[in-house]
Amino acid sequence: MLSQQTITIIKSTVPVLEVYGAEITTTFYKSLFNAHPELLNMFNHANQQQGKQQAALANAVYAAALHIDRLEAILPVVRQIAQKHRSLGVQPEHYPIVGQHLLGAIKTVLGDAATDEIIEAWGEAYGVIANAFIGIERDLEVQAAEQSGGWSDFRAFRVERKVRESEVITSFYLMPVNGQPIADFAPGQYVSVKITIPGEPYTHIRQYSLSDAPGKPYYRISVKREEAFEERPAGKISNHLHKHIEEGSVLWLSAPAGDFILESGDTKPVVLISGGVGLTPMVSMLNTLAVTEPGRQVTFIHAAHNEQMHAMREHVEKLVSNHAQLSAYWCYAAPLGDPATYHKKGYLDLPWLKSVVPSKEASFYFCGPTPFMRAVNGMLKEWDVPDTAIHYEFFGPADVL
């Protein structure tokens, strides 16, 4: 438990963190990687270059300070981050290293304003939060290893099939090299894939949603090849997977993780909304619902740039034709072909959403690029859909909707 004095001091820094948070976290990562370059393998370098990782950490530190007197308020976020940490292989010994460089960054950016009293208070608070992460991650690691078919750390999988789904998305069907059973997972969860690129000193780890229903003898990930665009560099790992990983190649996977999952015990209709490669967890959910809940109404909405960028369309349409409770709608920003082959030209909007979704009394799940997710979230809020019915997943560092 933190003392009242520590809580008061931390609270007093909230306005400062609101202004200087991003500068502090940028300084932190630079210092951390200079001292421990081996930790670079746990981070997406493109997210670092674009400032996404720094912004996510700044938001987390700000939230911790804001709620320091009732840390239970941020436990859901702690669990979400802990899921990612467990999947990436974060260890208890990493936390003192992070704490040292985070406190150092606060001191560097704030200078004399970061008094010894403030640094000591933040050191105490960091220790409490770090211990919460360590405890949750230990429990998650035990659960992952001890479940039927589970394992700890990373496990070798062979690419059994490589399937081109669209101009930019390719699926990889992965089976364990040792031939032993694999862990079950909840639709919406992801795995971490560890890649070694010849000639590079450190491995790379990326997280990809599982794009098929559980209960199969394989895992499937569907990866978008990320090209360079404006300030965004090309995706090093996505391009490596597309260009160099073939059937027979071996990839190393962590056990499934993540808390973006279909809620159990919910009987309301389901609306699945995806943009671009955000359809991967949605298809996992759709495949599952089609078989396990035949009486539950499901509306699947996918937005793509055009027909060539639309992955798994034929698969979803076949599911819809075979299951009366399913319906699907396509929205293309810049369609190339016959208007009869899609349902909306341009971007999603609330009037159209209302026209295809039977009722707002449903559970909404969505995933895609952050601007797309902000737009969908705004529509649902405008429609007065309650927060408890809104579920979403960020690919990469958490952002703000």
Side-chain angles (χ1 to χ4, degrees):
M1 292 290 292
L2 295 174
S3 68
Q4 185 55 52
Q5 181 183 9
T6 296
I7 289 172
T8 300
I9 293 171
I10 296 295
K11 281 278 193 182
S12 74
T13 66
V14 167
V16 178
L17 292 173
E18 192 169 15
V19 176
Y20 293 101
E23 186 178 350
I24 289 170
T25 55
T26 299
T27 301
F28 156 73
Y29 279 117
K30 183 177 180 180
S31 170
L32 176 68
F33 294 147
N34 281 341
H36 296 275
E38 72 279 6
L39 295 181
L40 272 167
N41 64 359
M42 291 187 177
F43 293 88
N44 184 314
H45 299 180
N47 289 333
Q48 286 284 334
Q49 291 178 37
Q50 296 175 76
K52 291 182 179 180
Q53 190 71 48
Q54 295 89 329
L57 179 58
N59 289 337
V61 172
Y62 176 79
L66 190 64
H67 300 290
I68 197 69
D69 53 343
R70 49 188 186 95
L71 287 175
E72 67 277 4
I74 63 171
L75 273 179
V77 178
V78 170
R79 287 196 63 85
Q80 183 183 60
I81 298 172
Q83 289 269 6
K84 290 183 178 292
H85 284 181
R86 196 282 297 162
S87 179
L88 291 168
V90 172
Q91 299 298 317
E93 55 266 28
H94 291 141
Y95 282 92
I97 296 171
V98 168
Q100 174 191 346
H101 289 276
L102 184 59
L103 295 177
I106 292 173
K107 185 67 177 177
T108 296
V109 172
L110 300 185
D112 292 341
T115 63
D116 291 344
E117 188 179 45
I118 286 175
I119 296 299
E120 288 174 9
W122 262 107
E124 182 183 349
Y126 176 82
V128 169
I129 296 169
N131 285 335
F133 273 107
I134 290 169
I136 293 172
E137 287 159 20
R138 184 187 302 114
D139 291 343
L140 291 173
E141 182 66 24
V142 170
Q143 292 170 20
E146 294 186 352
Q147 65 181 313
S148 177
W151 68 94
S152 61
D153 201 26
F154 287 81
R155 180 177 174 184
F157 281 72
R158 182 178 58 255
V159 179
E160 285 295 308
R161 294 174 59 205
K162 180 179 179 181
V163 178
R164 184 174 182 269
E165 305 283 7
S166 76
E167 289 289 324
V168 293
I169 295 175
T170 292
S171 287
F172 299 83
Y173 290 74
L174 309 170
M175 296 189 69
V177 169
N178 64 9
Q180 297 299 306
I182 57 176
D184 201 7
F185 65 93
Q189 289 192 304
Y190 56 81
V191 291
S192 287
V193 180
K194 182 160 65 173
I195 299 284
T196 299
I197 297 179
E200 298 206 359
Y202 304 112
T203 58
H204 298 265
I205 302 176
R206 295 293 184 272
Q207 294 169 329
Y208 294 107
S209 294
L210 293 160
S211 62
D212 204 349
K216 308 288 177 66
Y218 58 81
Y219 292 142
R220 185 178 74 180
I221 60 173
S222 302
V223 180
K224 179 186 177 186
R225 184 183 70 251
E226 296 288 356
E227 302 289 0
F229 179 73
E230 295 180 348
E231 295 182 358
R232 184 191 71 202
K236 179 175 291 188
I237 301 309
S238 68
N239 277 276
H240 180 79
L241 288 168
H242 275 251
K243 296 175 182 177
H244 301 292
I245 299 301
E246 303 295 343
E247 294 177 355
S249 297
V250 173
L251 298 174
W252 292 83
L253 272 61
S254 66
D259 59 358
F260 176 62
I261 58 177
L262 280 170
E263 290 195 345
S264 60
D266 188 357
T267 59
K268 292 187 297 184
V270 181
V271 182
L272 307 173
I273 307 174
S274 57
V277 76
L279 93 167
T280 52
M282 303 290 103
V283 169
S284 177
M285 293 181 183
L286 181 69
N287 288 354
T288 304
L289 288 164
V291 175
T292 62
E293 301 192 45
R296 194 172 178 191
Q297 187 179 50
V298 182
T299 304
F300 186 93
I301 299 169
H302 181 62
H305 186 68
N306 56 41
E307 298 91 321
Q308 294 179 351
M309 302 295 182
H310 186 172
M312 304 180 188
R313 172 174 172 158
E314 290 184 8
H315 166 75
V316 173
E317 290 179 338
K318 184 176 180 180
L319 273 182
V320 170
S321 67
N322 292 333
H323 298 273
Q325 82 274 23
L326 308 182
S327 58
Y329 301 91
W330 316 135
C331 176
Y332 294 156
L336 301 173
D338 185 351
T341 62
Y342 56 88
H343 304 89
K344 187 181 191 309
K345 179 180 180 179
Y347 297 104
L348 289 180
D349 57 53
L350 184 55
W352 183 79
L353 188 64
K354 289 181 176 180
S355 74
V356 298
V357 175
S359 169
K360 69 177 180 180
E361 301 302 321
S363 294
F364 292 82
Y365 296 80
F366 59 93
C367 186
T370 299
F372 171 85
M373 293 174 62
R374 287 198 180 108
V376 172
N377 190 61
M379 292 175 213
L380 299 182
K381 297 287 190 183
E382 186 178 343
W383 201 6
D384 294 324
V385 175
D387 289 345
T388 53
I390 298 175
H391 314 274
Y392 55 86
E393 170 86 321
F394 286 103
F395 284 169
D399 208 328
V400 178
L401 295 187

